[in-house]
Amino acid sequence: MYDVTIIGSGITGSFIAHNLAKYQLKVLVLEKDVEVGDGVTKANSAIIHSGYDPKPGTLKAKLNVLGNKMYEQVTKELNVDYKRIGSYTLAFNELEEKELRKLYQHGIENGVETYLVEKEEILKKEPNIKDTVRLGLYAPTTGILAPWDMIYALLDNALYNGVEIKTSNEVLNIDKKEDHFVVKTNQSTYKTRYVINAAGLYAEHITRMVTDNPGFKMNFTRGEYYVLDRGYDDYVHHVIYPTPTAKGKGVLIVPTIHGNVLLGPTSERIEDADSTEVTKVGLEFVKNHVNQMINNTPYKGIIRTFSGIRPKTDRLDFIIEELNDTPQFIQVAGIESPGLASAPAIAKMVEEMILNKESLETKHDYKIYPQKQVKINEKPIDEINRLIKQNPKYGTIICRCESITEGEIIDAIHSPLGIRTIDGIKRRVRPGSGRCQGGFCQPLILEILARELKVSKTDILLDKEGSNILTEETKINGGDGNE
Ligand SMILES: Cc1cc2nc3c(=O)[nH]c(=O)nc-3n(C[C@H](O)[C@H](O)[C@H](O)COP(=O)(O)OP(=O)(O)OC[C@H]3O[C@@H](n4cnc5c(N)ncnc54)[C@H](O)[C@@H]3O)c2cc1C
């Protein structure tokens, strides 16, 4: 019997697993996808918002502000790249100026450090901003990180401290018993005392497995983006937001932790949680809105487009509560933006909900997993040479755009969490994230994965189940052209 089963390995489930790993509890994480963190957390703006924007008094406001503060410590502890680059929210007309002053008051009520700044100051810090700008709101604590770097670090650490993580395990049914649950997946059946529903877009679906009254209705809103290549360092230095509207934060300009820039997202209501296509209309919308704020956007540097889907609910706030008619079933639903920024605080709240119900002892042998990820492209030449002597595979470049070596890819495949797909490798070590988007390195990574996992190349997946890249061998016996 497990004590706690967490459904979902996004940023929410991963932080909860990390927090519970400290206690003498038998914890299980179930994930339907082949890789962890392949849901909402995979595709967003990757901003650790400062917290001035959510309406004062909401859970979103409280947990965003707290979460932002907590990231400083947890990223240091788990060795995850994180930068507080600060943000400017901009007003270009009288109406926006009025809204911005209201936001400033929100910031004060939420306890966030913000400053109203004049046009001259903004243009000094961000010379590409249009000189029609009238007023800005500067928030120095806005941060950026790669959400999947955070997830891998949290789950490596959770695994190291005894948490079990089972991917390709889709929860199909939950049977409520007197004092426990029986969770059935497509692979097996697990008994557990607590269920934590951190299933993102599928939270309502999971809750309906135990009650007809989930207490909320799920909606989906798609956001589409452009990604700019690295190398445009002078374009923007901070996160740039327009003045938000009732529809949300609007189209942003966001430097990423890896040196790219994101432009987007849109906000379009959709019916299907899996509709992650990008559209001509959506991308034009992004360009128009970016062009209203800033000059000199290097559109020639676009290397990719993508979209993500927001798990909104009709309650318009995070829902973190034990289900009324089902004790020990904890909902963590409606985790839309600022869910990434709030995740450490959401996990703390869930941890406290369990601590309020029973006394838990911490593990005597709890230790932080000593992450040893080698990043060759960040090392000085002497250090690279030393590493190549230890492992010659650090000398073979597989991804030319990002300078990623075979040694780093092999390390990722054999990391505690293990990586099985091309996209998993891309997220963990970045080959395929550069200008050629995997045109050169994808076949090489496929070969390395097949060799290291000791499976056929035709078994290697791009991401989800069924996304095999090769279907059958076309050249038998080395392909002499006569077969
Ligand atoms: C366009 C966009 C921009 C955003 N920008 C920001 C931002 O800049 N800053 C910010 O703070 N927040 C942002 N967010 C919000 C943030 O991305 C989310 O709040 C956060 O990623 C939600 O994480 P999660 O773990 O709750 O959900 P998910 O990451 O979706 O994780 C849920 C997991 O549950 C799994 N699952 C579902 N059903 C089952 C099942 N039956 N069995 C087993 N597993 C299951 C899924 O596969 C998934 O891996 C943005 C969101 C979007 C869409």
Side-chain angles (χ1 to χ4, degrees):
M1 166 95 81
Y2 288 94
D3 293 303
V4 181
T5 296
I6 301 163
I7 303 175
S9 68
I11 195 72
T12 311
S14 300
F15 259 111
I16 296 170
H18 167 74
N19 281 25
L20 297 184
K22 299 193 287 256
Y23 296 104
Q24 293 184 24
L25 286 172
K26 202 166 145 54
V27 178
L28 171 67
V29 178
L30 292 174
E31 171 52 57
K32 72 175 168 58
D33 287 336
V34 184
E35 302 283 13
V36 297
D38 206 8
V40 181
T41 309
K42 178 178 74 170
N44 55 45
S45 307
I47 304 168
I48 306 306
H49 300 290
S50 61
Y52 63 78
D53 179 39
K55 200 165 155 213
T58 58
L59 258 187
K60 279 185 186 171
K62 181 178 149 197
L63 300 179
N64 183 169
V65 176
L66 197 59
N68 177 293
K69 288 195 180 119
M70 292 166 84
Y71 265 107
E72 192 81 47
Q73 158 84 15
V74 71
T75 50
K76 211 172 273 164
E77 194 170 82
L78 299 182
N79 200 14
V80 173
D81 292 338
Y82 171 59
K83 277 193 205 152
R84 280 191 155 160
I85 61 170
S87 61
Y88 285 100
T89 307
L90 305 177
F92 288 88
N93 57 43
E94 203 179 328
L95 211 69
E96 289 179 352
E97 208 178 311
K98 232 167 112 190
E99 281 304 310
L100 210 58
R101 291 187 192 281
K102 273 197 223 156
L103 262 192
Y104 175 64
Q105 289 305 325
H106 267 192
I108 292 173
E109 280 182 65
N110 290 349
V112 180
E113 186 187 353
T114 50
Y115 304 90
L116 282 171
V117 286
E118 302 297 331
K119 170 181 181 160
E120 291 68 31
E121 173 72 11
I122 300 165
L123 295 180
K124 209 157 74 191
K125 294 284 163 47
E126 291 291 358
N128 284 323
I129 296 297
K130 286 202 179 287
D131 66 4
T132 45
V133 68
R134 290 169 68 127
L135 188 70
L137 184 68
Y138 174 56
T141 55
T142 303
I144 51 170
L145 50 62
W148 43 87
D149 284 356
M150 193 69 241
I151 288 186
Y152 291 133
L154 292 164
L155 292 182
D156 270 346
N157 191 57
L159 260 177
Y160 187 62
N161 285 290
V163 169
E164 291 178 47
I165 300 168
K166 296 186 190 291
T167 54
S168 298
N169 257 271
E170 179 171 4
V171 174
L172 301 175
N173 184 45
I174 305 175
D175 206 0
K176 218 173 14 169
K177 303 286 184 195
E178 180 85 8
D179 61 351
H180 69 278
F181 300 89
V182 179
V183 178
K184 186 174 180 308
T185 74
N186 56 338
Q187 303 266 355
S188 192
T189 300
Y190 308 95
K191 282 189 185 172
T192 181
R193 293 197 300 120
Y194 284 85
V195 168
I196 297 177
N197 175 8
L201 297 164
Y202 298 90
E204 183 185 343
H205 175 68
I206 295 289
T207 306
R208 285 191 181 279
M209 292 178 185
V210 293
T211 180
D212 291 333
N213 304 307
F216 63 92
K217 168 97 187 68
M218 201 90 209
N219 299 313
F220 310 115
T221 319
R222 184 170 57 212
E224 301 178 32
Y225 294 85
Y226 287 108
V227 184
L228 300 182
D229 200 0
R230 296 197 290 163
Y232 297 102
D233 298 355
D234 281 339
Y235 172 50
V236 279
H237 311 279
H238 303 81
V239 175
I240 307 292
Y241 301 95
T243 299
T245 65
K247 272 194 105 179
K249 295 185 184 73
V251 171
L252 324 175
I253 303 165
V254 190
T256 74
I257 196 82
H258 295 300
N260 303 86
V261 176
L262 303 180
L263 307 175
T266 53
S267 179
E268 186 200 351
R269 180 82 182 264
I270 50 165
E271 292 309 314
D272 178 2
D274 293 317
S275 295
T276 50
E277 62 261 31
V278 282
T279 62
K280 193 165 179 265
V281 176
L283 294 175
E284 280 303 314
F285 179 91
V286 171
K287 266 193 186 169
N288 288 338
H289 282 255
V290 166
N291 292 344
Q292 282 167 26
M293 287 200 292
I294 191 164
N295 297 315
N296 302 321
T297 302
Y299 289 115
K300 65 178 189 301
I302 293 169
I303 55 172
R304 194 179 177 87
T305 58
F306 71 92
S307 76
I309 301 180
R310 302 169 182 87
K312 286 183 181 293
T313 74
D314 54 355
R315 283 170 55 180
L316 305 176
D317 199 0
F318 296 156
I319 302 171
I320 304 167
E321 59 197 21
E322 192 172 19
L323 203 59
N324 264 341
D325 58 2
T326 314
Q328 304 193 174
F329 184 99
I330 297 176
Q331 306 257 45
V332 191
I335 309 301
E336 54 165 327
S337 188
L340 175 66
S342 311
I346 293 174
K348 187 82 195 142
M349 188 170 163
V350 171
E351 177 187 338
E352 280 164 6
M353 284 167 79
I354 299 177
L355 280 172
N356 280 339
K357 290 176 73 84
E358 47 191 279
S359 57
L360 300 177
E361 293 215 12
T362 50
K363 283 180 189 141
H364 308 299
D365 53 353
Y366 178 83
K367 270 203 250 119
I368 294 287
Y369 173 66
Q371 277 291 355
K372 286 191 287 266
Q373 192 175 340
V374 172
K375 294 179 184 168
I376 291 288
N377 59 9
E378 293 177 9
K379 304 256 180 234
I381 191 73
D382 293 357
E383 177 71 356
I384 295 177
N385 285 334
R386 191 187 63 75
L387 286 162
I388 293 173
K389 268 198 196 119
Q390 270 176 20
N391 176 1
K393 294 222 163 11
Y394 289 133
T396 310
I397 298 273
I398 297 294
C399 168
R400 292 178 184 175
C401 305
E402 298 289 314
S403 303
I404 308 294
T405 66
E406 185 172 4
E408 291 161 86
I409 293 167
I410 294 172
D411 288 350
I413 296 169
H414 300 299
S415 63
L417 206 50
I419 301 286
R420 287 189 286 155
T421 65
I422 302 267
D423 266 10
I425 294 285
K426 176 177 171 182
R427 290 204 291 277
R428 182 117 206 188
V429 255
R430 285 186 63 74
S433 307
R435 175 154 277 271
C436 92
Q437 287 291 298
F440 173 77
C441 63
Q442 195 186 79
L444 303 176
I445 294 166
L446 188 144
E447 285 201 19
I448 298 169
L449 269 166
R451 184 189 75 213
E452 296 296 317
L453 296 174
K454 300 189 174 48
V455 298
S456 157
K457 285 185 227 171
T458 53
D459 290 333
I460 298 301
L461 302 172
L462 178 66
D463 51 10
K464 317 259 181 211
E465 227 42 91
S467 64
N468 306 59
I469 291 172
L470 307 176
T471 54
E472 59 184 292
E473 245 176 285
T474 52
K475 291 183 180 169
I476 314 292
N477 300 331
D480 58 8
N482 296 323
E483 63 272 5

